[in-house]
Amino acid sequence: MIEGEFAAPSPGGLADEVAAVLADRRDPGVQTFERVLNAVVSHGYRDRETLTAALGSVPREFTVRPHPKVQCLAGVVGAAVGPVQAEDPWENAGAGWLELCQHMALDYVAGARVAELAARLRAGDPVPFLLSVPSRPTGAVEPHELVARLAKYERLGLRPGPADLGQALLRCGGPVDPRAVGAAEELELEEGPRVAAWLRQGGLPRPAWWRERESGAPERPSRRRGARIGRRILVGHGAIEGRGAFPRRFWSLFRKFEPHIGCAHASLPDGRDAHTVATLPWHPEIAAARLLTGVASAADQDGRGAPAFLEALAAAEGPAGPAVHLALAYGLASVPDGDREAAVRALVLLASRGRLDGGLLGREMNELVGLGTLRVPLLTESLRAAAALPQGAAAVWAVLAPALPGLLACTRPQAHGAVLAVAADAARLSGAYGELPEVTALAQRPGSSHLVKEARRLRDTLAGH
C-alpha cells in the first residue's frame, strides 16, 4: 500500500537505517522519519520475531540528548521488539495528558500519534501500515490514498488508531476530489462517514487571522530584563470547529490562538522544524503563527535558529499568508547564518511556486525595520544573496519595489546605498521597468556619492537605459 520514497525497506535494510539514525542523533528529516516509523509498523505486523531479531541489537541508549524525533524512533523500536503486554489496552495511550503550551499544538498532535503507535505495538495489536504516512515529501496525504488504506483496514478487520487517523486527516487538503469522497462514502468502517465529510469540506477549515504588535513604545532589548518591548509583530488565529471528533491531545490545535499568551514554552523542547510543518502541510500559516515568537528571537535576540522550519514553510502545500511572510522577514535578518541562508532559499522557492506576496513581505519588512527589530545590513545581505540565485532577482524586486520608499524613509542614510545597489541589480536581472519617485529624487541630487550613483543606476535601469 505504501510505495515510493516512503516504502518500507527489508528488515536488514531497516536495521541499518535505524542504527544510522540513532547513532547520528540529529534530525533525520521528514522522509526518513516517516519511512522508518512506517517500516517498524509494517514489519511488526508481518513478522514480529524477524523484526525483533533484526532490531534487537541496535543500541537505543544515548549519552548525549538526541533530536526529539530520534527519541521517538528509539521508543517505537523498543515497543516493537519488547515483550507483548496484551493486558495494557493501547486505547489508553495519552490518558491524563495536560496541555502546557499553545505554541506546542502541532507537537502534541505528532506526539499523540507516536504514543498511540508505541502502545499498540506493546499491546501486540499491530497494523500493516500507518494511515498517516505522507504521499509527498511535504507531509501531505493524497485523499484517494487514505481511502484506499482505510479500505485495506476494512478488509483485514482492523481498527484505525484515532491519533493515526486524525493525523492522516490533517494531512489531507487542497481541491476536493469527488472520486475520493465517493469511495469514502462506500466504506463500511465506523469512521467512513466522518472521513467522507472531511474530504468533502476540503480538510481542516481555515481560521480567521489577525496581526498584533507588542504593546508599548518600541524599546531595545534590556540587559536587565533580557527582553524587548513593542518591537515584534505576531499573528493570532480564531478557533477552528470540529475538535470533538479528534483525540483530546489534538484539541490545542483547534483553540483560539492568542500570540502574546503566556506559557511554559521556554522550558519545553522547540518544535521549529520541518516535522512541525509536515504535521499540517496544507496550513503553514498555523505552524508559522504558533512558532513565530521563536523565529523572531533569532533576529532580535540572537536566539537559536530554525532553518529547516523556514524552508518547510516555503515548500508546504497550503497558501502563505501574514505569518509565513513575517517568518520570512525575521529569517532574512536573523543573526544565525544558517537561518539567513535558509530564508534566502525559502524566498526564492516561495516565488517560484507563485506563493510569494511581494507587497506583503515588503510591508512587513518596512514595519519591522521601522520598529528597530530587523538589522538592515543583515537584511540587505540576504536580499543580495537571493538576487544572485536563479529566479531570485525577480523575487527580490517583487519585494523591494513596494518596500523601497518605506525603507528609504525609515532607515539611516548610510544604509541607503547598499539597499539601492541590491535593488538596481535585481531590477536589471529581472528586466523590471517603471519609475519610483523617491529614487528619482535621490538620483537628481548633485554629487557622486555611492548613494547618488546607485540611485541613478536604478533609475536608469527602470527607464530601460
Side-chain angles (χ1 to χ4, degrees), residues 92-119:
N92 293 337
W97 170 79
L98 177 66
E99 177 186 291
L100 297 177
C101 172
Q102 283 200 23
H103 296 102
M104 305 294 287
L106 292 174
D107 273 6
Y108 294 151
V109 170
R113 178 180 66 144
V114 170
E116 177 184 271
L117 167 60

Side-chain angles (χ1 to χ4, degrees), residues 8 35 72 77 109 239 249 259 271 387 463:
R35 180 177 62 252
C72 286
V77 169
V109 170
R249 288 180 69 169

Side-chain angles (χ1 to χ4, degrees), residues 89-368:
W90 61 267
E91 294 89 345
N92 293 337
W97 170 79
L98 177 66
E99 177 186 291
L100 297 177
C101 172
Q102 283 200 23
H103 296 102
M104 305 294 287
L106 292 174
D107 273 6
Y108 294 151
V109 170
R113 178 180 66 144
V114 170
E116 177 184 271
L117 167 60
R120 193 160 193 168
L121 288 169
R122 283 193 299 270
D125 185 15
V127 290
F129 47 80
L130 293 174
L131 298 171
S132 55
V133 178
S135 307
R136 308 179 196 173
T138 58
V141 171
E142 296 289 355
H144 70 273
E145 290 189 21
L146 173 58
V147 176
R149 294 170 189 175
L150 285 166
K152 179 71 171 181
Y153 270 44
E154 184 176 279
R155 289 194 295 273
L156 294 173
L158 298 172
R159 294 172 53 202
D164 184 31
L165 176 58
Q167 172 65 101
L169 291 174
L170 292 179
R171 284 178 164 171
C172 288
V176 177
D177 182 348
R179 289 177 298 179
V181 174
E185 290 173 337
E186 295 177 1
L187 291 171
E188 296 182 4
L189 283 172
E190 179 183 335
E191 295 81 3
R194 174 192 171 198
V195 172
W198 183 267
L199 298 181
R200 192 181 302 113
Q201 73 177 16
L204 187 72
R206 302 199 181 281
W209 300 97
W210 67 86
R211 294 165 71 258
E212 282 188 23
R213 182 172 73 81
E214 290 175 322
S215 60
E219 181 179 319
R220 289 190 174 278
S222 162
R223 184 172 296 180
R224 175 172 59 84
R225 291 192 302 272
R228 42 15 27 234
I229 294 176
R231 299 178 72 223
R232 285 181 182 170
I233 303 170
L234 302 176
V235 175
H237 69 74
I240 306 172
E241 295 183 0
R243 75 177 190 180
F246 288 83
R248 191 173 183 83
R249 288 180 69 169
F250 284 53
W251 287 11
S252 184
L253 171 65
F254 291 79
R255 299 187 197 281
K256 176 182 179 181
F257 175 64
E258 300 178 79
H260 293 113
I261 191 170
C263 64
H265 184 61
S267 64
L268 293 171
D270 194 337
R272 286 181 288 126
D273 55 29
H275 302 275
T276 312
V277 183
T279 300
L280 201 59
W282 291 96
H283 292 266
E285 278 292 290
I286 292 178
R290 300 248 173 182
L291 298 172
L292 202 52
T293 298
V295 176
S297 72
D300 69 1
Q301 285 188 302
D302 302 351
R304 188 172 70 81
F309 181 66
L310 293 172
E311 291 194 77
L313 289 176
E317 307 288 346
V324 170
H325 284 79
L326 274 168
L328 193 53
Y330 287 122
L332 289 168
S334 289
V335 174
D337 293 341
D339 262 36
R340 292 200 307 279
E341 293 165 0
V344 165
R345 294 189 293 270
L347 170 63
V348 177
L349 176 59
L350 208 60
S352 70
R353 300 184 63 196
R355 297 171 62 227
L356 174 68
D357 185 333
L360 174 58
L361 180 55
R363 290 192 299 273
E364 301 294 13
M365 289 188 338
N366 275 348
E367 187 166 356
L368 290 169

Side-chain angles (χ1 to χ4, degrees), residues 397 420-435 439 453-465:
W397 181 248
L420 287 170
V422 173
D425 289 340
R428 175 179 58 83
L429 292 169
S430 63
Y433 61 89
E435 182 184 8
V439 173
K453 283 182 178 179
E454 294 300 342
R456 289 170 182 168
R457 186 161 71 95
L458 177 56
R459 177 200 60 187
D460 293 346
T461 297
L462 294 176
H465 298 159

